[in-house]
Amino acid sequence: MGNLLKVLTCTELEQGPNFFLDFENAQPTEGECKVWNQVNSVLQDSESILTGLQGYKGAGLEIRDAIQNPSDMSLQERAWNSVCPLVIKLKTFYSFSLRLEEALKSLLKSLTCPPLTPTQHLEREQALAKQFAEILHFTLRFDELKMRIPAIQNDFSYYRRTISRNRINNMNLDIENEVNNEMANRMSLFYAEATPMLKTLSTATTNFVSENKTLPLENTTDCLSTMASVCKVMLETPEYSSRFSSKDTLLFCMRVMVGVIILYDHVHPNGAFTKSSKIDMKGCIKVLKDQPVDNVEGLLNALKFTTKHLHDESTPKNIQSMLQ
């Protein structure tokens, strides 16, 4: 039956086609190779980015000592020397978000361009669909980690205050060549977001739609809604979820489903939660709530706090109550 299996469900006509995609083993065809290689050059750095974020310790103690003892220059120097390498690391994370944004746009262009429909693209270009899923998976993992590290914003705020006051003279100020004022402003906006990577992808998807005015909006939203249906069916159907060799793939599917819902909600004028939405939101939320709480708490929070239309009057009350 191949790696891609058509799954017929009772909601197919209402919710669009559902597919089982082989997220574990899909390999690029000759036609996919160019885009796949471009995107892969970005994705191959994703694990090191997550490892770097996971190991982020912050300079809270050094900063506190420096603030409490403003006349002690040795403490000022210690705090500054602790913060500067962290700022370079934060710049690395931010720069990766820009690369990820371009990778996402390349995939969207490939998976939505005529004459094929988005569903046909997903059928024939499974390796690109898998990379799209991997970007979303990384994004939600990054944001889940970032929300647990308040030191990031504290460190960066201290860095900006110190630079602006110019209180430390000739003390590793070469860092301004790496993180100048313009870069610092952009990084500040990025890290001010609760979910900065997801915000980056949402903005990138919205920009992709606005920059490609000849491409019907439905091509993009149908791509996203089909991906949501893919993940929902795989999660709720033991016959298909049992095909995966690793239980981690189930969490992968959950993250991807939530990611495409959020993108759809930002791109579609009416959002993902209305009755006319091509995403079965009630079914998707139920699938998440059927999982262990520890696996889905961050994902449910992402739906609560990063979607655009959840609290619109057009959103059914029963869906809103499911996310309370």
Side-chain angles (χ1 to χ4, degrees):
M1 297 176 71
N3 290 331
L4 182 61
L5 302 176
K6 184 71 178 290
V7 181
L8 299 176
T9 72
C10 61
T11 60
E12 182 175 1
L13 292 177
E14 297 177 4
Q15 303 299 340
N18 297 305
F19 295 95
F20 183 94
L21 285 169
D22 189 350
F23 282 143
E24 291 183 332
N25 302 305
Q27 296 296 317
T29 62
E30 185 177 351
E32 295 172 86
C33 276
K34 182 178 179 180
V35 172
W36 189 91
N37 286 330
Q38 291 172 350
V39 175
N40 187 57
S41 68
V42 177
L43 283 172
Q44 66 186 5
D45 294 331
S46 62
E47 285 301 322
S48 65
I49 294 292
L50 291 173
T51 300
L53 181 61
Q54 201 161 18
Y56 191 97
K57 299 303 182 185
L61 177 63
E62 292 86 351
I63 291 171
R64 186 165 61 249
D65 288 346
I67 291 173
Q68 291 175 351
N69 301 276
S71 60
D72 189 328
M73 291 310 295
S74 66
L75 291 179
Q76 308 305 310
E77 182 175 353
R78 186 177 73 146
W80 181 250
N81 288 337
S82 297
V83 164
C84 284
L86 296 174
V87 170
I88 297 299
K89 183 177 285 191
L90 293 177
K91 182 191 175 186
T92 300
F93 300 158
Y94 171 71
S95 298
F96 185 77
S97 78
L98 302 181
R99 295 172 60 203
L100 203 67
E101 179 179 356
E102 292 306 309
L104 179 73
K105 287 182 178 180
S106 294
L107 288 172
L108 285 173
K109 185 175 181 180
S110 294
L111 293 172
T112 61
C113 64
L116 299 182
T117 66
T119 298
Q120 289 171 329
H121 277 296
L122 292 173
E123 285 182 312
R124 302 180 190 190
E125 298 163 13
Q126 292 181 57
L128 297 187
K130 179 174 180 283
Q131 285 185 319
F132 186 21
E134 287 170 342
I135 286 177
L136 293 166
H137 183 241
F138 162 83
T139 294
L140 284 154
R141 289 172 69 197
F142 182 96
D143 287 345
E144 285 169 8
L145 286 171
K146 185 265 180 185
M147 284 192 284
R148 300 178 197 149
I149 311 175
I152 287 176
Q153 285 178 273
N154 295 335
D155 294 345
F156 198 65
S157 294
Y158 177 80
Y159 168 78
R160 298 201 72 191
R161 290 197 305 270
T162 303
I163 285 289
S164 64
R165 290 197 304 262
N166 197 25
R167 290 175 59 191
I168 301 178
N169 295 315
N170 300 319
M171 194 179 296
N172 200 22
L173 290 180
D174 288 345
I175 192 173
E176 288 195 86
N177 296 326
E178 291 275 348
V179 184
N180 59 27
N181 193 54
E182 181 185 354
M183 172 63 74
N185 286 337
R186 286 187 274 138
M187 288 172 60
S188 182
L189 290 172
F190 177 77
Y191 288 110
E193 295 287 342
T195 52
M197 285 290 178
L198 203 48
K199 174 66 174 178
T200 296
L201 295 197
S202 296
T203 301
T205 306
T206 302
N207 289 343
F208 172 80
V209 171
S210 62
E211 290 165 5
N212 293 272
K213 299 185 185 303
T214 59
L215 184 71
L217 173 63
E218 291 74 18
N219 284 34
T220 302
T221 54
D222 285 355
C223 176
L224 300 175
S225 62
T226 301
M227 287 288 284
S229 294
V230 166
C231 297
K232 172 178 166 291
V233 170
M234 289 193 290
L235 289 165
E236 68 186 1
T237 311
E239 179 185 353
Y240 298 107
S241 59
S242 64
R243 293 176 182 269
F244 294 125
S245 61
S246 170
K247 290 184 179 179
D248 290 342
T249 308
L250 297 178
L251 182 55
F252 178 95
C253 289
M254 285 185 262
R255 286 199 177 105
V256 174
M257 182 178 73
V258 169
V260 289
I261 288 170
I262 293 169
L263 295 187
Y264 183 101
D265 192 62
H266 279 262
V267 173
H268 197 286
N270 299 323
F273 298 96
T274 63
K275 290 181 179 179
S276 62
S277 170
K278 290 187 177 181
I279 297 177
D280 174 14
M281 284 305 307
K282 186 175 180 181
C284 290
I285 296 169
K286 183 181 183 302
V287 163
L288 291 175
K289 292 207 161 187
D290 286 342
Q291 310 300 320
V293 174
D294 290 345
N295 286 350
V296 299
E297 184 178 7
L299 299 178
L300 290 170
N301 284 337
L303 287 177
K304 288 180 194 177
F305 302 121
T306 63
T307 48
K308 186 177 179 181
H309 295 279
L310 174 61
H311 300 291
D312 288 0
E313 291 184 5
S314 59
T315 300
K317 298 300 180 185
N318 63 334
I319 291 180
Q320 290 178 338
S321 64
M322 289 179 76
L323 287 171
Q324 294 303 316

